[in-house]
Amino acid sequence: MGLLVLLLAGGVIAEIALLYAICGFAMGAIALFKGLMNGPGPKLTGTLRSAHPWLSWGMYAVLVLSSGITLRALMGNGSFGIPLPRLYFVTLSIVALHAIFHLWRHTALGDGALQRITPKALHGIL
């Protein structure tokens, strides 16, 4: 997410955009070959529990798609008419909704969602 914020704040800097694309493809590949590294948690029930894996795969799809469009634009083949700053804004908006969902899980459900996605050194402040 840091690279995404840098691209939004500083404009499309080729080196940062290339690093973003590489990291996005790497994360997508890890998810594809190792599977999802998260789960719905024990307190998430009903429709949200059923939708959780699909939403996770959707997040990876958005990341890989924006990485691919970024790489295509860097290679001089265009971005399918999508301005890269707009693509990054939409991607960051989706990431922000995902973060809000985890905050809701952690606070309303009390299922430790933030502890599952943060390093152990930070668990004491959660």
Side-chain angles (χ1 to χ4, degrees):
M1 186 168 102
L3 293 171
L4 191 54
V5 171
L6 285 174
L7 287 170
L8 269 173
V12 182
I13 300 167
E15 293 82 3
I16 295 173
L18 180 60
L19 189 57
Y20 171 77
I22 291 169
C23 289
F25 283 132
M27 289 176 66
I30 290 169
L32 185 63
F33 292 111
K34 295 280 189 177
L36 293 176
M37 291 179 255
N38 60 6
K43 294 185 180 180
L44 194 63
T45 60
T47 305
L48 285 176
R49 184 173 186 83
S50 301
H52 188 275
W54 294 101
L55 294 172
S56 292
W57 283 115
M59 287 288 300
Y60 282 109
V62 166
L63 178 62
V64 170
L65 184 64
S66 68
S67 295
I69 292 172
T70 296
L71 191 58
R72 179 181 163 88
L74 288 174
M75 294 171 63
N77 295 324
S79 59
F80 300 107
I82 303 169
L84 290 180
R86 182 176 296 166
L87 174 70
Y88 300 146
F89 180 76
V90 169
T91 304
L92 186 64
S93 299
I94 292 169
V95 168
L97 287 173
H98 181 74
I100 290 168
F101 172 70
H102 279 287
L103 287 170
W104 171 79
R105 283 180 57 191
H106 187 78
T107 57
L109 296 181
D111 71 349
L114 293 183
Q115 289 180 334
R116 296 175 69 185
I117 63 173
T118 56
K120 288 184 181 181
L122 299 177
H123 289 186
I125 61 173
L126 297 176

